[in-house]
Amino acid sequence: MPKLLEVRGLETRFYTQEGVVMAVNGVSYDMDEGETLGIVGESGCGKSVSVLSMMRLIPEPPGKITGGEVLFEGRDLLKMDSDEIRHVRGNRIAMIFQDPMTSLNPVLTIGRQVGEAVEVHMGMNRTQARMRSIELLEMVGIPQADQRIKDYPHQFSGGMRQRVMIAMALSCSPQILIADEPTTALDVTIQAQIIDLVKRLRDEIGMAVIWITHDLGVVAGLVARVNVMYAGYIVETGPVREIYARPRHPYTIGLLGSLPRLDASTHEKLTSIEGLPPDLVSPRPGCPFAPRCEYVIDRCLKENPELESVGLDHRAACWNLGVTLGYERGIGLQKVDHDSAYSNTSAR
């Protein structure tokens, strides 16, 4: 059965005065119809840039998509002309942007902004678009929608603005919804409401969802599969249950170790990943995570590993997978001396 979306070797660069920023480095993955995929990683790892590249929303200059292909229903989005990609964007593939406080136009009413997409993509007139806007606002749980479409963004709370953004994204019943950290600026209670809303709408409409976040805890009950990104690479990918139970890449282990656990002892401290994210302008040879990795070996400093199968539909990019074999959350690992890995080049 053909895939709904196939990303193959996607590469994106930013050409700046400081040098070439290697933002996305050969990202590849597939999506089926109705599937929910999580993309996780810390700030600056390439999560948002990878999907913005897919949507052809990278500003050129300074950005440029330098390689790869993005096949949507068999057609390469990267080779479409401006009119073709505009027909796909917002219609077949829609996106909820990160900050609801700044994503809406402050001088246009909510009804005008929600209705614009259906006028452009579905050929509705102004009256039909108004009725569709009311229907969408009701769908996402905004009370008195027939009155509130006359309001402006400043008259809505942060959570309500994010619901408006979701209504706009769903206006044309897209096949893929991309949610770029849509709960970042919201409090925990509103976050839970937005996540539940997306889950409900996903099940009702049958769309596929790409959920981007830096928080593995957010995607636990939402997605079926997770891509963990670091320094523009996918370093681990697999079913969400498998990755939570048996993470194999040291970076994934570090991310999970930083999450609070209900079953943890009250004296148990959260772990942190030492060091700083890599410099994407002047990347050092070898694995990009090596300078921060507690399980580094000599080969990590020389060669960047490819994704390798470590289970059913579960892959990780690490030269020292043996040390993570059999890892279960809550069970410690025998750590390699990080400092000696850089100072001692002899074989272990």
Side-chain angles (χ1 to χ4, degrees):
M1 182 177 179
K3 301 288 184 180
L4 176 64
L5 181 71
E6 299 175 73
V7 181
R8 293 284 178 266
L10 182 62
E11 293 183 355
T12 304
R13 305 286 183 259
F14 289 91
Y15 297 87
T16 69
Q17 293 182 342
E18 290 76 23
V20 181
V21 180
M22 304 175 71
V24 179
N25 302 301
V27 166
S28 299
Y29 58 88
D30 298 331
M31 279 194 75
D32 292 317
E33 291 188 13
E35 182 181 4
T36 305
L37 171 72
I39 301 179
V40 301
E42 62 194 7
S43 297
C45 72
K47 308 183 302 295
S48 297
V49 173
S50 66
V51 295
L52 288 171
S53 300
M54 185 177 80
M55 297 279 283
R56 300 266 298 278
L57 290 173
I58 294 294
E60 297 186 18
K64 186 177 181 181
I65 301 168
T66 57
E69 58 182 10
V70 179
L71 301 178
F72 174 63
E73 296 184 322
R75 297 188 63 198
D76 191 353
L77 299 179
L78 304 185
K79 293 181 179 178
M80 290 183 177
D81 61 32
S82 299
D83 289 337
E84 289 177 315
I85 192 64
R86 197 176 294 118
H87 178 72
V88 172
R89 196 167 50 212
N91 182 20
R92 312 288 295 284
I93 304 176
M95 189 165 181
I96 308 170
F97 292 95
Q98 193 168 107
D99 187 0
M101 303 300 180
T102 58
S103 297
L104 294 168
N105 190 323
V107 300
L108 295 179
T109 65
I110 293 299
R112 183 75 194 99
Q113 295 186 63
V114 175
E116 182 180 19
V118 294
E119 288 183 37
V120 172
H121 293 298
M122 302 179 73
M124 292 186 180
N125 60 35
R126 191 65 64 90
T127 301
Q128 291 170 326
R130 181 181 181 277
M131 298 304 296
R132 176 62 173 161
S133 299
I134 294 171
E135 178 187 339
L136 289 163
L137 293 182
E138 289 175 343
M139 183 188 299
V140 298
I142 294 180
Q144 297 179 317
D146 59 332
Q147 298 300 315
R148 302 231 62 184
I149 62 169
K150 304 171 187 175
D151 291 342
Y152 290 86
H154 73 271
Q155 296 172 275
F156 285 70
S157 66
M160 285 297 178
R161 287 188 218 187
Q162 195 59 283
R163 289 173 184 265
V164 171
M165 293 294 296
I166 294 171
M168 291 171 64
L170 297 178
S171 58
C172 298
S173 301
Q175 290 172 276
I176 300 176
L177 175 68
I178 300 171
D180 185 6
E181 302 205 45
T183 60
T184 297
L186 307 176
D187 63 54
V188 175
T189 304
I190 303 301
Q191 282 186 22
Q193 292 177 5
I194 295 299
I195 291 169
D196 287 342
L197 173 62
V198 172
K199 288 171 66 175
R200 176 175 63 81
L201 295 173
R202 174 200 64 191
D203 295 339
E204 289 178 2
I205 299 172
M207 62 189 175
V209 177
I210 299 176
W211 189 282
I212 300 168
T213 182
H214 62 275
D215 187 352
L216 271 167
V218 168
V219 299
L222 178 64
V223 308
R225 192 159 52 91
V226 174
N227 290 341
V228 181
M229 288 192 68
Y230 187 80
Y233 296 93
I234 294 177
V235 296
E236 186 162 7
T237 180
V240 65
R241 291 180 179 274
E242 175 75 10
I243 285 183
Y244 272 70
R246 285 172 288 277
R248 298 297 303 277
H249 194 281
Y251 179 60
T252 312
I253 293 170
L255 288 178
L256 288 168
S258 67
L259 290 177
R261 295 179 56 178
L262 293 176
D263 60 347
S265 164
T266 55
H267 303 291
E268 187 175 329
K269 294 183 178 180
L270 298 177
T271 60
S272 62
I273 302 174
E274 300 295 333
L276 297 172
D279 181 0
L280 298 181
V281 175
S282 303
R284 62 194 304 165
C287 173
F289 189 62
R292 306 174 69 186
C293 184
E294 295 178 294
Y295 316 108
V296 66
I297 59 175
D298 293 335
R299 192 176 184 184
C300 303
L301 312 179
K302 302 170 185 175
E303 301 176 60
N304 192 8
E306 299 286 339
L307 287 168
E308 179 182 333
S309 178
V310 292
L312 184 62
D313 200 28
H314 184 187
R315 296 182 295 157
C318 181
W319 292 124
N320 200 10
L321 284 169
V323 78
T324 62
L325 186 63
Y327 175 86
E328 302 283 346
R329 290 197 67 192
I331 301 175
L333 298 176
Q334 181 181 358
K335 298 176 182 178
V336 176
D337 186 344
H338 182 263
D339 293 331
S340 66
Y342 278 91
S343 60
N344 180 13
T345 57
S346 62
R348 283 180 170 77

